[in-house]
Amino acid sequence: MNVVVLLAVILFVLMVLVGGRQGIRSFLSLFLNFGVLFVTIFLMTNPKNSPIILTFIACTVISCISLFYINKTNSKTITAFISTMVTIGVLLLFITFVTEKSMIQGFGEESTEEISIFSLYIGVNFVQIGASVIIMSTIGAIMDVAISIATSMHEIFYRNPSISRKKLFTAGLSIGRDILGTYTNTLFFAFFGGYLSLLIWFKDLSYSIGEIVNSKVFSAEMTTIFCAGIGIALIIPIAACINAFYLIRTREKTEKLL
């Protein structure tokens, strides 16, 4: 049996044993999200299509699959979805600006030999492609933080229905502070783990610290990590604010009906 197939079977069995039906939906969502990414990459090859717009649409579809398909439609997933899309919209504008000013798009000199046989005149905006890559790298973590804060704040509100909006918002920020460091470090080690071979190559080429820091490949990777961290930090107050507003507004409407 193919190793990839065997690992997929093991993952599926574990997800079913631990998550039941929700585990099955989570497993199927992996293939659905892969399909969305594949279609998005295919459409990006057309110069007439904007990578930024395609990325926003893809993030919207991925968020719907990951939140509504897996966890079903409820108040928690709705607020998490709104928080995610607001954060993604802000990040797209910010990252596009940073990518353009820092000029980290395209290939570094380390890739010159590998791409020398290919034509570089492909008619694709690499600034927007670079921004799209960063957003796609952070969408999962942003959604995870959004649903974590939404679930926690809903539970706090359920246990204390008379809580004020300010205290509920403060509780959401407190929850976010507890998970901010761990999520940021998770992104940091995930990205560096993926580029471990590059760091070893730098060592074999006897790069100095200055050459490593100033190389385009390293700068692009660090920019991705910092932008991902900014996204994690940004989603916390946005999610806390939206959930506090939604829960208190729902309580006020209920009181008026009574």
Side-chain angles (χ1 to χ4, degrees), residues 192-225:
F192 263 92
Y195 279 82
L196 183 60
S197 58
L198 177 64
L199 297 178
I200 295 175
W201 189 33
F202 282 155
K203 180 181 181 299
D204 291 339
L205 293 176
S206 300
Y207 271 39
S208 65
I209 297 298
E211 290 173 325
I212 293 176
V213 171
N214 288 285
S215 66
K216 177 176 283 190
V217 177
F218 184 83
S219 298
E221 184 63 18
M222 291 305 299
T223 301
T224 302
I225 294 174

Coordinates of all heavy atoms in Angstrom, one line a residue, residues 192-225:
F192 N 9.8 27.7 9.9 CA 11.2 27.4 9.9 C 11.4 26.0 9.7 O 12.5 25.6 9.1 CB 11.8 27.9 11.2 CG 12.5 29.3 11.1 CD1 11.8 30.4 11.4 CD2 13.8 29.4 10.7 CE1 12.4 31.7 11.2 CE2 14.4 30.6 10.5 CZ 13.7 31.7 10.8
G193 N 10.5 25.1 10.2 CA 10.7 23.7 10.0 C 10.6 23.4 8.5 O 11.3 22.5 8.0
G194 N 9.7 24.1 7.8 CA 9.6 23.9 6.3 C 10.8 24.4 5.6 O 11.1 23.9 4.4
Y195 N 11.5 25.3 6.1 CA 12.7 25.9 5.4 C 14.0 25.5 6.1 O 15.1 26.1 5.9 CB 12.6 27.4 5.4 CG 11.7 28.0 4.3 CD1 10.4 28.0 4.5 CD2 12.3 28.4 3.1 CE1 9.5 28.5 3.5 CE2 11.5 28.9 2.1 CZ 10.1 28.9 2.3 OH 9.3 29.4 1.3
L196 N 14.0 24.4 6.8 CA 15.2 23.9 7.5 C 16.3 23.5 6.5 O 17.5 23.8 6.7 CB 14.8 22.7 8.4 CG 16.0 22.1 9.2 CD1 16.6 23.2 10.2 CD2 15.5 20.9 10.0
S197 N 15.9 22.9 5.4 CA 16.8 22.5 4.4 C 17.5 23.8 3.8 O 18.7 23.7 3.4 CB 16.2 21.7 3.2 OG 15.1 22.5 2.7
L198 N 16.8 24.9 3.7 CA 17.3 26.1 3.2 C 18.4 26.6 4.1 O 19.5 27.1 3.7 CB 16.3 27.2 2.9 CG 16.7 28.5 2.5 CD1 17.3 28.4 1.1 CD2 15.6 29.5 2.5
L199 N 18.1 26.6 5.4 CA 19.1 27.1 6.4 C 20.4 26.2 6.3 O 21.5 26.7 6.5 CB 18.5 27.0 7.8 CG 17.3 27.9 8.0 CD1 16.7 27.8 9.4 CD2 17.7 29.4 7.8
I200 N 20.2 24.9 6.1 CA 21.4 24.0 6.0 C 22.2 24.3 4.8 O 23.4 24.3 4.8 CB 20.9 22.5 6.0 CG1 20.2 22.2 7.3 CG2 22.1 21.6 5.7 CD1 19.7 20.8 7.4
W201 N 21.4 24.7 3.7 CA 22.1 25.1 2.5 C 22.9 26.4 2.6 O 24.0 26.5 2.2 CB 21.1 25.2 1.4 CG 21.6 25.4 0.0 CD1 22.8 24.9 -0.5 CD2 21.1 26.2 -1.1 NE1 23.0 25.3 -1.8 CE2 22.0 26.1 -2.2 CE3 20.0 27.0 -1.2 CZ2 21.8 26.7 -3.4 CZ3 19.7 27.6 -2.4 CH2 20.6 27.5 -3.5
F202 N 22.3 27.3 3.4 CA 23.0 28.5 3.7 C 24.4 28.2 4.4 O 25.4 28.8 4.1 CB 22.2 29.5 4.6 CG 21.1 30.2 3.8 CD1 20.0 30.7 4.4 CD2 21.3 30.5 2.4 CE1 19.0 31.4 3.7 CE2 20.3 31.2 1.7 CZ 19.2 31.6 2.4
K203 N 24.3 27.3 5.3 CA 25.5 26.9 6.1 C 26.5 26.3 5.2 O 27.7 26.6 5.2 CB 25.1 25.9 7.2 CG 26.3 25.5 8.0 CD 25.9 24.5 9.1 CE 27.1 24.1 10.0 NZ 28.2 23.4 9.1
D204 N 26.1 25.4 4.3 CA 27.0 24.7 3.3 C 27.7 25.7 2.4 O 28.8 25.5 1.9 CB 26.3 23.6 2.6 CG 25.9 22.5 3.4 OD1 26.5 22.3 4.5 OD2 24.9 21.7 3.1
L205 N 26.9 26.8 2.1 CA 27.5 27.8 1.2 C 28.3 28.9 1.9 O 28.8 29.8 1.3 CB 26.3 28.5 0.4 CG 25.5 27.7 -0.6 CD1 24.4 28.5 -1.1 CD2 26.4 27.2 -1.7
S206 N 28.5 28.6 3.2 CA 29.3 29.5 4.1 C 28.7 31.0 4.1 O 29.5 31.9 4.0 CB 30.7 29.5 3.6 OG 31.3 28.2 3.7
Y207 N 27.4 31.1 4.1 CA 26.8 32.4 4.2 C 27.1 33.0 5.5 O 27.0 32.3 6.6 CB 25.3 32.3 4.0 CG 24.8 32.4 2.5 CD1 25.5 31.8 1.5 CD2 23.7 33.1 2.2 CE1 25.1 31.9 0.2 CE2 23.2 33.2 0.9 CZ 23.9 32.6 -0.1 OH 23.5 32.7 -1.4
S208 N 27.4 34.3 5.6 CA 27.5 35.0 6.8 C 26.1 35.3 7.4 O 25.1 35.3 6.6 CB 28.4 36.3 6.7 OG 27.7 37.2 5.8
I209 N 26.1 35.8 8.6 CA 24.8 36.2 9.2 C 24.2 37.3 8.4 O 23.0 37.3 8.1 CB 25.0 36.6 10.7 CG1 25.4 35.4 11.5 CG2 23.6 37.1 11.2 CD1 24.5 34.2 11.5
G210 N 25.0 38.2 8.0 CA 24.5 39.4 7.2 C 24.0 39.0 5.9 O 23.0 39.5 5.4
E211 N 24.7 38.0 5.2 CA 24.2 37.5 3.9 C 22.9 36.8 4.0 O 22.0 36.9 3.2 CB 25.2 36.6 3.3 CG 26.5 37.4 2.8 CD 27.6 36.5 2.3 OE1 27.7 35.4 2.9 OE2 28.3 36.8 1.3
I212 N 22.7 36.0 5.1 CA 21.5 35.3 5.3 C 20.3 36.3 5.6 O 19.2 36.1 5.0 CB 21.6 34.3 6.5 CG1 22.6 33.2 6.2 CG2 20.3 33.7 6.9 CD1 22.9 32.3 7.4
V213 N 20.5 37.2 6.5 CA 19.5 38.2 6.8 C 19.1 39.0 5.6 O 17.9 39.3 5.4 CB 20.0 39.1 8.0 CG1 19.0 40.2 8.2 CG2 20.1 38.3 9.2
N214 N 20.0 39.4 4.7 CA 19.7 40.2 3.6 C 19.3 39.4 2.3 O 19.0 40.1 1.3 CB 20.9 41.1 3.3 CG 21.2 42.2 4.3 OD1 20.4 43.2 4.3 ND2 22.2 42.0 5.1
S215 N 19.3 38.1 2.4 CA 18.9 37.3 1.2 C 17.4 37.5 1.1 O 16.6 37.6 2.0 CB 19.3 35.9 1.4 OG 18.6 35.3 2.4
K216 N 16.9 37.5 -0.2 CA 15.5 37.6 -0.5 C 14.7 36.5 0.1 O 13.6 36.7 0.6 CB 15.3 37.8 -2.0 CG 13.8 37.9 -2.4 CD 13.6 38.1 -3.8 CE 13.9 39.5 -4.2 NZ 13.5 39.8 -5.6
V217 N 15.2 35.3 0.0 CA 14.4 34.1 0.5 C 14.2 34.2 2.0 O 13.1 34.0 2.5 CB 15.2 32.8 0.2 CG1 14.5 31.6 0.7 CG2 15.4 32.7 -1.3
F218 N 15.2 34.6 2.7 CA 15.1 34.7 4.2 C 14.2 35.8 4.6 O 13.4 35.7 5.5 CB 16.5 34.9 4.8 CG 16.5 34.9 6.3 CD1 16.5 33.7 7.1 CD2 16.5 36.1 7.0 CE1 16.4 33.7 8.4 CE2 16.4 36.1 8.4 CZ 16.4 35.0 9.1
S219 N 14.3 37.0 3.9 CA 13.5 38.1 4.1 C 12.0 37.8 3.9 O 11.1 38.3 4.6 CB 14.0 39.3 3.3 OG 15.3 39.7 3.6
A220 N 11.8 37.1 2.8 CA 10.4 36.8 2.5 C 9.8 35.9 3.5 O 8.6 36.0 3.9 CB 10.3 36.1 1.1
E221 N 10.6 34.9 4.0 CA 10.1 34.0 5.1 C 9.9 34.8 6.4 O 8.8 34.5 7.0 CB 11.2 32.9 5.3 CG 10.7 31.9 6.3 CD 9.5 31.1 5.8 OE1 9.2 31.1 4.6 OE2 8.9 30.5 6.7
M222 N 10.8 35.7 6.8 CA 10.5 36.4 8.0 C 9.3 37.4 7.9 O 8.6 37.6 8.8 CB 11.8 37.2 8.3 CG 13.0 36.4 8.7 SD 12.6 35.3 10.1 CE 12.2 36.5 11.4
T223 N 9.2 37.9 6.7 CA 8.0 38.8 6.5 C 6.7 38.0 6.6 O 5.7 38.5 7.2 CB 8.0 39.4 5.0 OG1 9.2 40.2 4.9 CG2 6.8 40.3 4.8
T224 N 6.7 36.8 6.1 CA 5.5 35.9 6.2 C 5.2 35.6 7.7 O 4.1 35.6 8.1 CB 5.8 34.6 5.5 OG1 6.0 34.8 4.1 CG2 4.6 33.7 5.6
I225 N 6.3 35.3 8.5 CA 6.1 35.0 9.9 C 5.6 36.2 10.6 O 4.6 36.1 11.4 CB 7.5 34.5 10.5 CG1 7.9 33.2 9.9 CG2 7.3 34.4 12.0 CD1 9.3 32.8 10.3

